[in-house]
């Protein structure tokens, strides 16, 4: 069996951007059961601050959010402007 994130000394960092606390915690729990390290953010500003502090390897985002939708967040990440604000 190939080594996965559970066997890694440096687990993959995943940022969850989700405005529903229940959904965010369920996803975080599920990911951590498989050896991933994840953090949850409910708002765009908090998620951008997290990315500036420590860039995650993966971002899982809700699409419908009050401050900014998930598509716009992805656009900003891809263009690099998410990390420059």
């Amino acid at each position: 069996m190939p080594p996965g994130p559970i066997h890694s000394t440096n687990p993959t960092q995943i940022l969850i951007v989700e405005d529903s606390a229940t959904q965010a915690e369920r996803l975080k729990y599920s990911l951590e059961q498989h050896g991933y390290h994840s953090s949850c953010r409910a708002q765009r500003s908090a998620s951008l601050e997290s990315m500036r502090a420590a860039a995650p390897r993966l971002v899982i985002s809700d699409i419908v959010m009050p401050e900014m939708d998930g598509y716009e967040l992805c656009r900003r990440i891809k263009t690099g402007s998410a990390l420059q604000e």
Side-chain angles (χ1 to χ4, degrees):
M1 173 177 4
I6 263 182
H7 305 293
S8 174
T9 57
N10 188 14
T12 300
Q13 300 289 324
I14 300 174
L15 175 62
I16 301 166
V17 183
E18 168 63 66
D19 59 336
S20 165
T22 302
Q23 293 295 350
E25 287 303 318
R26 288 182 72 183
L27 182 55
K28 181 178 179 6
Y29 175 80
S30 180
L31 290 168
E32 290 180 351
Q33 292 299 304
H34 293 284
Y36 295 99
H37 180 267
S38 60
S39 59
C40 302
R41 299 293 177 265
Q43 297 182 18
R44 169 191 156 256
S45 56
S47 63
L48 296 176
E49 288 173 17
S50 292
M51 283 185 253
R52 280 197 283 288
R57 299 279 294 165
L58 177 69
V59 176
I60 299 174
S61 177
D62 189 357
I63 297 300
V64 180
M65 296 183 288
E67 197 176 319
M68 171 191 291
D69 69 28
Y71 295 121
E72 180 61 25
L73 178 63
C74 288
R75 278 188 213 89
R76 290 185 183 208
I77 293 169
K78 286 177 73 173
T79 63
S81 62
L83 305 176
Q84 296 168 7
E85 289 186 0

